Amino acid sequence: MIRVALGALACAFAAAAFVITETRMDMNHGLKAKVELMAGKLSLQPVRFQTGFDHDERLPDWGFLADKLLDEGACIRFENADRQQVYASCLGVAASSAATPQWFSALYRTVFSPVRPVRRTIETHGEAIATIEVSLDPTLGEARAWTETRRIMSVTASAIALLSVIVYFAIDRALRPTLAIQAGIDRLAGGDLSYRLPQVPLIELQRIGEVINRMAARLETAMAERAELARRLAIAQEEERRHLARELHDEFGQNLAAINAIAASVGATAKIACPELMPEAVSLSQIAMNMMNELRNTLARLRPAVVDEIGLVESLKDLVVGWNGRLGATRFTFSEKGDLHELPDAVAVTIFRIAQEGVTNAARHAGARNVNVTLERLNGYPAPSAESAVQLTIEDDGKGLGPHENAGAGAGLAGIRERVAIFKGRMDLRSEASAGAKLSVIIPIALTAQEVA
């Protein structure tokens, strides 16, 4: 719109300059025609004197010239053969005609020079007897230029206003579908890949919408395939962990228990028969106990058996109690809201894994004095008609995360984000430097149960 108006103004200024130039040319041609007419009249007077038709032998017959040929703003100057001024007459410019704005007068005088006077020599029988000069008052040229410019600028201003209104409504009508396209692109950018842009009247916008819809469809298919692959990998990973934990428990656990029993038997025998072997027997028993403790920790990381045995809530309580026992400077608390019994196995294991990672990050990197873990059952998520969801919140009062860390850098946060994405949940991390951090994870229960069924 602005460009159209500027283009129209440029055309208006060009037209004004053209009109002023034409006006100056007309004024110059008028001066030349007037001089020729005056010279013709004055050339006839000596002839009339000689033939006796005119008894008044004054040259020039100034009354005729002043009355018939002198116009507003014009000056006539008559010189004899000796270049002495004989007669001169000027007719001023009326005040109404000379009313030109000061800014226009200054601009006109800067760009254009005054119209030059026109001189004409009067000859009789090939001999110059006089010279006549006609000139115009400079204010007359400015006044006429202003009159023509004002006229064309008025017409142009009206045309620009009308054109702007027409262009505005035309562009508004043509580009109105772009609002729907922009809203659709915002929805696609927000993650709603199932949305498709509507049809619009303009062919160019239709092509853009078709391309965006094709890209969204391909991206939706790719994301669905990726989510399915990630889901299968997560299920396979949990199965492999369960199998590995069972093997370690059955094989290494029994062997370590046997080693510990043998070491105790060796110690009892050595106490009676060979006291020198007592230290080695005790050392062997301690090594076996240490290995059994490490095996328990490894089994807990591979497969949280406590989740299967005592449930998610009690497992999280044990997790918080364990961290309180390891770190005396940080206080860990746990709270629950809603009915959290009979959760699907996939939900319970995923929530426990995320809690492990989140609490570990808060304990090792946040430097917090308080870490609060909250587990809540959400009914009607993501819509009132939906079944429900589980929300896990881990909040601390530590040093917070920097801009780059808050953006998702780090394997721990990336792992949490992947687990949430597998089950089409939502993760929200809010943190500011020296203001702590708050991690919130929501996993739909009904959708999760269907996905892993």
Side-chain angles (χ1 to χ4, degrees):
M1 180 65 66
I2 296 177
R3 293 180 179 178
V4 172
L6 292 177
L9 286 176
C11 294
F13 286 127
F18 176 78
V19 168
I20 293 175
T21 303
E22 288 291 322
T23 302
R24 288 170 54 85
M25 293 177 62
D26 291 342
M27 293 170 63
N28 190 35
H29 292 160
L31 284 180
K32 291 181 178 179
K34 194 179 297 295
V35 166
E36 292 296 331
L37 180 60
M38 290 182 180
K41 293 292 184 181
L42 294 175
S43 298
L44 291 176
Q45 290 188 23
V47 176
R48 293 169 63 88
F49 300 156
Q50 295 173 4
T51 57
F53 287 103
D54 197 342
H55 300 288
D56 188 1
E57 298 185 358
R58 293 176 302 155
L59 182 66
D61 184 3
W62 199 255
F64 173 80
L65 297 179
D67 294 340
K68 304 297 183 180
L69 300 179
L70 191 62
D71 297 330
E72 180 185 18
C75 289
I76 303 175
R77 186 168 179 266
F78 183 83
E79 298 176 355
N80 57 18
D82 297 332
R83 303 186 65 84
Q84 294 179 354
Q85 179 172 317
V86 178
Y87 294 103
S89 179
C90 294
L91 187 61
V93 181
S96 58
S97 302
T100 305
Q102 185 176 0
W103 64 268
F104 183 83
S105 298
L107 180 62
Y108 182 86
R109 294 171 186 174
T110 303
V111 178
F112 299 98
S113 60
V115 178
R116 295 181 179 180
V118 178
R119 297 175 64 87
R120 176 73 161 79
T121 301
I122 302 172
E123 298 180 353
T124 300
H125 303 293
E127 180 182 358
I129 60 174
T131 301
I132 188 171
E133 178 185 279
V134 180
S135 60
L136 289 177
D137 190 336
T139 58
L140 180 63
E142 298 174 9
R144 291 185 179 178
W146 168 246
T147 301
E148 295 297 328
T149 302
R150 182 176 57 183
R151 180 178 59 82
I152 193 170
M153 292 299 289
S154 299
V155 175
T156 303
S158 302
I160 291 176
L162 180 61
L163 178 63
S164 299
V165 172
I166 295 175
V167 170
Y168 173 79
F169 284 104
I171 294 178
D172 179 71
R173 182 178 180 181
L175 298 182
R176 192 172 300 169
T178 58
L179 298 177
I181 294 178
Q182 181 180 359
I185 293 176
D186 291 338
R187 291 185 60 177
L188 294 174
D192 187 6
L193 299 179
S194 61
Y195 181 78
R196 296 295 179 265
L197 298 181
Q199 293 288 335
V200 294
L202 290 180
I203 298 178
E204 293 78 4
L205 295 181
Q206 284 183 7
R207 294 176 180 176
I208 294 176
E210 292 173 357
V211 172
I212 294 178
N213 287 337
R214 286 198 298 268
M215 293 175 58
R218 293 175 183 175
L219 185 58
E220 183 183 18
T221 302
M223 294 296 293
E225 294 176 352
R226 179 179 178 274
E228 176 64 18
L229 178 59
R231 183 187 68 84
R232 293 183 180 181
L233 289 177
I235 296 174
Q237 185 182 49
E238 290 298 331
E239 291 295 333
E240 184 64 22
R241 285 179 172 178
R242 183 184 290 109
H243 175 72
L244 183 58
R246 185 166 51 249
E247 292 295 327
L248 289 176
H249 179 271
D250 294 342
E251 299 296 333
F252 284 87
Q254 293 179 8
N255 291 333
L256 289 175
I259 292 174
N260 189 33
I262 293 173
S265 176
V266 171
T269 303
K271 184 176 181 181
I272 300 173
C274 185
E276 292 81 1
L277 295 178
M278 281 293 298
E280 285 77 2
V282 174
S283 178
L284 183 61
S285 178
Q286 291 177 348
I287 292 173
M289 291 297 297
N290 292 335
M291 293 182 64
M292 291 179 68
N293 291 331
E294 291 296 329
L295 180 60
R296 289 194 193 95
N297 294 333
T298 302
L299 292 176
R301 290 191 296 270
L302 286 175
R303 179 65 182 177
V306 289
V307 177
D308 298 332
E309 297 172 0
I310 63 177
L312 176 61
V313 174
E314 297 300 326
S315 300
L316 293 177
K317 290 181 179 178
D318 288 345
L319 177 67
V320 169
V321 170
W323 277 107
N324 277 325
R326 285 192 289 267
L327 295 180
T330 305
R331 181 174 177 270
F332 296 83
T333 61
F334 173 76
S335 60
E336 56 178 303
K337 299 179 182 179
D339 184 11
L340 298 170
H341 299 288
E342 298 181 358
L343 295 177
D345 182 66
V347 174
V349 173
T350 301
I351 290 293
F352 186 79
R353 294 291 189 192
I354 294 174
Q356 278 183 319
E357 186 64 39
V359 171
T360 301
N361 288 340
R364 293 180 178 178
H365 308 299
R369 297 182 60 85
N370 297 281
V371 178
N372 302 318
V373 181
T374 304
L375 186 64
E376 182 179 2
R377 180 74 172 260
L378 301 178
N379 294 321
Y381 175 87
S385 60
E387 293 289 338
S388 61
V390 177
Q391 180 177 12
L392 174 68
T393 304
I394 302 175
E395 188 173 6
D396 65 74
D397 57 358
K399 63 181 181 180
L401 300 176
H404 299 290
E405 295 173 318
N406 201 8
L413 293 177
I416 294 175
R417 184 174 287 104
E418 289 179 359
R419 290 180 180 276
V420 174
I422 288 173
F423 300 111
K424 299 181 181 179
R426 189 179 72 185
M427 170 184 167
D428 184 24
L429 177 62
R430 300 179 182 179
S431 176
E432 296 181 3
S434 303
K438 181 178 180 180
L439 174 65
S440 178
V441 171
I442 299 178
I443 296 181
I445 293 178
L447 178 60
T448 304
Q450 296 173 3
E451 289 287 335
V452 299

